[in-house]
Amino acid sequence: MAAEVLCGRCGALLTNPNAPCPRCGSPASGAYYRPMAMQRKNRWAAAALAVIPGCGHFYLGHSLKGVGFLVGIVGFQLFDLGLDATVIGLSLGVPLELGPGALWLFSIVDAYRIAKQTELTGA
């Protein structure tokens, strides 16, 4: 018998995989099921996917965080692109390039850290 057999509908731990779920009453499938957000993910794959802003977090199931990084980095770059054509942009060009670069590096490290944490906790 598998170490964990979970209900396909509500995620409750089933003591008898052939009986209906005691919590929601769904019919037993006898199959191993674990929700996507609870599956263990490879930390190196998460970091590699995070090279494209937000993709590492999408892989980990943290969609809102992925959208935040994607919008933050792309938005910062577009804001900087608009200032590059002005005199202000010439004086602030290098500091404004550091912002999205730092946020991009942080998103890679954060995706790696989250995946490592889920590997250690087994959640």
Side-chain angles (χ1 to χ4, degrees), residues 18 41 56 67 89 97 113:
N18 298 324
K41 302 291 182 167
V67 168
E97 289 295 327
R113 182 186 56 84

Side-chain angles (χ1 to χ4, degrees), residues 33-103:
Y33 172 79
R34 198 167 191 178
M36 189 63 138
M38 292 178 64
Q39 290 180 0
R40 293 182 188 162
K41 302 291 182 167
N42 187 335
R43 56 186 156 182
W44 295 108
L49 286 169
V51 170
I52 300 170
C55 285
H57 291 88
F58 291 135
Y59 168 71
L60 295 170
H62 293 244
S63 300
L64 191 59
K65 204 173 205 181
V67 168
F69 278 120
L70 180 65
V71 168
I73 292 169
V74 171
F76 212 152
Q77 284 289 355
L78 290 175
F79 178 72
D80 182 36
L81 185 65
L83 283 180
D84 280 345
T86 65
V87 175
I88 297 170
L90 292 174
S91 61
L92 296 176
V94 172
L96 283 178
E97 289 295 327
L98 295 176
L103 187 59

